[in-house]
């Protein structure tokens, strides 16, 4: 290995006696490839096995905690005990390759396709649709329903424990339900779940508490709990960097094992509510300090990209699209073959890359999301 990249392969202690073998994480990415009943497919297992061999930790695609939270066609579920064997199969496949297996749990809220959920009943914090044509107008959740969904996050955490996962990541990013409650764009409530910034924090923090409660009750050993968030929203009103710093302050009190910053570009700069000439990740790291480890992500394609990101002080670096393009990315760096890393996907290489058909179709028809296509 080129000594320049040695820091990427140092182990990292998440606390509780949990050690990750290196600083590289597979980012959670929707693959659209599960069975209609919410179970994982053989193609998904192969896809994850191939990409679990090098990284220290794999965060799965999101799994819905309740039936009306299903956000994608071909998404695997965690909302009922009958799905525990399916989840166990996925956890075992990842862990067998030497990586920690983290199940990302979520509710899609107003972003769910109506045809995927019972009675097409799209719900959110308020009756505000996402911006854009043809977006469903959601029904505001009642307080009783909110409390029920909080419990659902705990129940899915229990299933993750029973399935053998090493942890869960609470998905509070990318415009889904937890973010919808935190956002002044989507949350116009006037009760305990909305209004002031502090009240908009109540739902995501209640979910964290319930997940941690489930871990305390059901885990027989150390179990990782992380939280993923998007630092800003483009909408007005919307989440600003100032709002995000308040979210971080709230999360930092919860003794989480990591915070995962969802960014398309690792070094992207703040839009508003903070110094706009500074990278968001830098502002966030400064605010967090040493309270909780951070995972950074976003357009890291080469070994030099990864080491530069690590030098920002963020201890864990997630690889997303790059692990789809080159499943052996980590091994190539480790073996001193970083110049052989592939950074553009060849449209003829689906079989060689073990990419399931639905994901492959999404890639080749989504140049905006997946620019590395040739």
């Amino acid at each position: 290995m080129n000594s320049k990249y040695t820091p990427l392969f140092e182990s990292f202690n998440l606390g509780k006696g949990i050690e990750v073998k290196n600083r590289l994480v597979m980012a959670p990415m929707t693959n659209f490839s599960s069975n209609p009943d919410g179970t994982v497919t053989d193609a998904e297992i192969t896809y994850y096995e191939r990409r679990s061999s090098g990284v220290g930790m794999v965060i799965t695609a999101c799994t819905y905690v309740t039936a009306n939270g299903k956000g994608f066609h071909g998404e695997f579920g965690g909302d009922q005990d009958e799905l525990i064997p399916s989840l166990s199969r996925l956890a075992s496949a990842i862990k067998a390759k030497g990586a920690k297996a983290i199940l990302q749990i979520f509710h899609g809220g107003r972003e769910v396709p109506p045809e995927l959920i019972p009675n097409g009943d799209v719900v959110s914090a308020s009756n505000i649709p996402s911006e854009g044509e043809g977006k469903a107008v959601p029904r505001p959740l009642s307080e009783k329903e909110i409390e029920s969904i909080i419990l659902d996050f705990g129940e899915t955490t229990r299933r993750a424990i029973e399935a053998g996962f090493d942890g869960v990541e609470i998905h509070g990013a990318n415009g889904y339900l937890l973010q919808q409650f935190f956002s002044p764009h989507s949350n116009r409530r006037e009760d305990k779940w909305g209004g002031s910034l502090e009240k908009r924090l109540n739902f995501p923090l209640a979910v964290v508490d319930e997940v941690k409660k489930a871990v305390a009750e059901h885990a027989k050993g150390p179990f990782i709990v992380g939280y993923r968030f998007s630092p800003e929203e483009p909408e007005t009103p919307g989440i600003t960097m100032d709002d995000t710093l308040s979210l971080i302050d709230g999360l930092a009190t919860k003794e989480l094992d990591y915070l995962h910053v969802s960014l398309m570009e690792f070094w992207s700069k703040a839009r508003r509510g903070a110094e706009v000439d500074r990278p968001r990740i830098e502002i966030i790291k400064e605010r967090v300090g040493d309270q909780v480890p951070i995972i950074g992500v976003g357009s890291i394609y080469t070994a030099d990209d990864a080491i530069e990101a690590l030098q920002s002080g963020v201890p864990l670096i997630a690889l997303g699209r790059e692990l789809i393009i080159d499943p052996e990315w980590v091994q190539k760096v480790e073996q001193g073959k970083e110049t052989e890393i592939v950074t553009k996907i060849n449209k003829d290489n689906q079989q060689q890359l073990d990419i399931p058909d639905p994901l492959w179709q999404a890639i080749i028809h989504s140049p905006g999301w997946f620019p590395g296509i040739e």
Side-chain angles (χ1 to χ4, degrees), residues 23-28 57 59 169 227-229 258-267 280-282 284-285 293-300 305-306 309-310 312-320:
R23 305 304 183 95
L24 299 166
V25 177
M26 180 175 173
M57 193 159 75
I59 306 169
E169 177 175 282
Y227 189 102
R228 192 176 210 219
F229 65 94
Y258 68 80
L259 296 178
H260 189 176
V261 188
S262 182
L263 293 170
M264 284 294 285
E265 299 284 342
F266 185 91
W267 298 105
R280 295 176 173 118
I281 196 76
E282 189 179 286
I284 291 164
K285 180 68 179 75
I294 293 173
I295 299 177
V297 69
S299 300
I300 294 167
D305 291 341
L310 191 69
S312 71
V314 172
L316 294 165
I317 306 300
L319 303 170

Side-chain angles (χ1 to χ4, degrees), residues 236-301:
T236 301
I239 295 169
T240 67
M241 279 302 298
D242 275 339
D243 293 337
T244 295
L245 296 179
S246 296
L247 172 65
I248 289 169
D249 290 344
L251 293 171
T253 68
K254 298 298 182 181
E255 298 183 349
L256 291 161
D257 297 297
Y258 68 80
L259 296 178
H260 189 176
V261 188
S262 182
L263 293 170
M264 284 294 285
E265 299 284 342
F266 185 91
W267 298 105
S268 63
K269 293 183 178 179
R271 181 182 286 113
R272 60 190 174 184
E275 300 166 67
V276 294
D277 59 342
R278 293 181 67 197
R280 295 176 173 118
I281 196 76
E282 189 179 286
I283 297 167
I284 291 164
K285 180 68 179 75
E286 187 176 276
R287 186 62 162 246
V288 171
D290 295 324
Q291 294 177 89
V292 57
I294 293 173
I295 299 177
V297 69
S299 300
I300 294 167
Y301 289 102

Side-chain angles (χ1 to χ4, degrees), residues 161 214-223:
I161 292 166
V215 172
E217 289 180 4
H218 300 288
K220 295 180 173 61
F223 189 82

